[in-house]
Amino acid sequence: MSPRNHYERTPFGHEMLRHFSFPPDYRNLNHGSFGASPIAIRRKVNELREECETNPCPFIKYRFPKVLDESRAAMSGWLRVPESTIVFVPNASTGVDTILRNMVWSDDGKDEILQLDVIYGACRNMATNVCEASNGRVRTRQIGLTHPVEDSEMVSAYREAIKTSRREGFRPRIAIFDTIASNPGIRLPFEELTALCRAEGVLSLIDAAHGVGQIDLYLSSLDPDFFVSNCHKWLFAPRGCAVLYVPERNQAMIRSTLPTSHGFKARSQGEGSGSTSNGTVGPGKTDFVSNFEFVGTTDNFAYLAVPEALKWREEVCGGETAIRHYCMDLSRKGGQRVADILGTRILDNTAHTLTNCCMVNILLPIRKPTSGEDSLVKGLDGSPTTVTEWMQQTMIQSYRTFMPVFPFQGSWWVRLSAQIYLEASDFEWAGWTLKELCEKIQE
């Protein structure tokens, strides 16, 4: 990568917008879904992409692995774990699926995958598909709760699920849970859940899709069995880039990437040779690192953005503590203001741990659906559509914004994301926009 420029500190709020590519009339209140990468970080990545185009084969075979190692080193230092435990995948879903596909299930049909009711939909589908493909060797056990709940209640429910599984003759093998769930966007007691799994002999798989860049994460002390987090959401790397952490004690379990590629070694091959006939995998590396270094030809230059993203966050924003303080404060105060405008409430518990993040969920003043999870209304083109789709499409077409609307526990909610380029006025605007939308949908 070319010599890095020194970045100048920029105040949080609308002055930060000059670093991003949003048009003046668009309000990005949904950073949590797909992220947004600053122009400077994307420029650095594009420099490498252009360098590759001048010498594709030498770059892909020899230059890319070296720059990838620099990115792995930066990420491992940020998470405070050995570099040998860090690899990159395109997104958190790929990471979760990779772990589940590498699990070897017992033949007696007693293995179980534990999951909360607020598990990300794609991860729920992965677990279901793994169960189908296992021909009855594994099943899922969902832990249902009425939200909001206190952290202690959620941990107790997980503990009871483990006991119930064993009491019924099953074997809880692995538990999937989030750092911060998606819909609703609430912070979970993942630290306590990880410790519980360790004490109970259950593997912990943390889906931290919203973790890196949003909350403190020290994996050396957390010590999960598996952990994956997007870097293209809250860390500002371009899409798609996610870090996959597997401690050395569990790396032998991860036999293959998705798809299986050049780094795979049959069991007959020796440990640690770390090389293949096409020269794309570096010698001397562990099998785990070698496996993920080259997974087919794809545009994975976003993996190389981590060092620049960390530098940008430090120099432009003043570091992680400053970013978290601003965004969490804006999320809580802004979310409460939206709730006041709507005459409703935010989703939180008495200890306010659910909102200890940069996303907030506000109840919408819409009549509860009479049947199912999402009622039908007349769409913008006159055809039937759901309340969720009508509101989201109308936001895009008429208000130049997007805010995730979702049915949850018999009501409709909206999730807003606080970010360094937003201010209290954006949440004020969101509140009145949502109020107008809810009044229209009630008609």
Side-chain angles (χ1 to χ4, degrees), residues 367-375 410 412:
R367 287 190 297 270
K368 293 184 179 182
T370 55
S371 63
E373 277 290 291
D374 209 345
S375 298
W412 277 283

Side-chain angles (χ1 to χ4, degrees), residues 190-201:
F190 62 93
E191 300 95 337
E192 292 90 340
L193 292 175
T194 303
L196 172 64
C197 288
R198 184 165 52 249
E200 292 289 342

Side-chain angles (χ1 to χ4, degrees), residues 33-292:
S33 282
F34 303 109
S37 184
I39 297 167
I41 298 173
R42 286 182 280 130
R43 184 183 296 125
K44 288 293 184 181
V45 173
N46 286 335
E47 289 176 8
L48 286 170
R49 188 177 281 110
E50 290 302 312
E51 181 183 342
C52 176
E53 293 304 319
T54 64
N55 296 279
C57 289
F59 188 97
I60 293 172
K61 285 179 174 288
Y62 304 110
R63 173 99 163 101
F64 185 91
K66 292 180 180 178
V67 185
L68 180 64
D69 286 344
E70 295 175 7
S71 200
R72 290 177 46 247
M75 193 76 258
S76 67
W78 197 84
L79 291 172
R80 293 167 173 79
V81 290
E83 186 178 337
S84 61
T85 63
I86 293 295
V87 294
F88 290 107
V89 291
N91 47 62
S93 295
T94 300
V96 172
D97 208 22
T98 299
I99 301 304
L100 292 179
R101 302 291 173 184
N102 276 278
M103 291 286 294
V104 178
W105 308 106
S106 303
D107 291 329
D108 57 12
K110 296 181 179 180
D111 287 347
E112 286 194 334
I113 301 171
L114 304 182
Q115 59 192 39
L116 286 165
D117 53 354
V118 292
I119 186 175
Y120 184 54
C123 293
R124 178 186 289 111
N125 292 340
M126 290 172 204
T128 300
N129 183 251
V130 164
C131 292
E132 290 182 355
S134 75
N135 294 319
R137 287 184 298 158
V138 61
R139 49 177 266 165
T140 60
R141 180 178 294 270
Q142 180 161 296
I143 302 165
L145 297 166
T146 300
H147 299 272
V149 297
E150 304 303 321
D151 287 353
S152 58
E153 295 178 68
M154 188 173 293
V155 175
S156 295
Y158 234 104
R159 182 181 292 108
E160 184 58 33
I162 293 173
K163 291 180 179 179
T164 301
S165 174
R166 290 169 174 162
R167 186 166 56 246
E168 294 177 355
F170 293 100
R171 183 186 305 110
R173 283 285 305 280
I174 189 168
I176 308 174
F177 49 86
D178 305 80
T179 50
I180 301 166
S182 180
N183 283 333
I186 52 176
R187 179 167 174 159
L188 306 185
F190 62 93
E191 300 95 337
E192 292 90 340
L193 292 175
T194 303
L196 172 64
C197 288
R198 184 165 52 249
E200 292 289 342
V202 178
L203 292 171
S204 56
L205 170 51
I206 301 181
D207 175 12
H210 292 277
V212 166
Q214 185 173 176
I215 57 176
D216 280 318
L217 287 168
Y218 303 125
L219 297 192
S220 55
S221 56
L222 182 62
D223 195 28
D225 287 300
F226 306 102
F227 172 96
V228 62
S229 181
N230 289 318
C231 300
H232 58 246
K233 287 182 183 283
W234 300 91
L235 198 70
F236 299 144
R239 305 173 202 95
C241 174
V243 56
L244 173 62
Y245 163 79
V246 180
E248 292 180 355
R249 66 177 182 272
N250 293 330
Q251 289 181 5
M253 298 172 61
I254 309 305
R255 297 279 301 127
S256 175
T257 55
L258 293 180
T260 301
S261 193
H262 296 288
F264 176 79
K265 273 200 287 294
R267 295 189 185 277
S268 59
Q269 293 178 264
E271 169 74 24
S273 60
S275 62
T276 60
S277 58
N278 73 342
T280 54
V281 180
K285 295 181 179 178
T286 65
D287 288 352
F288 174 69
V289 172
S290 297
N291 220 354
F292 286 83

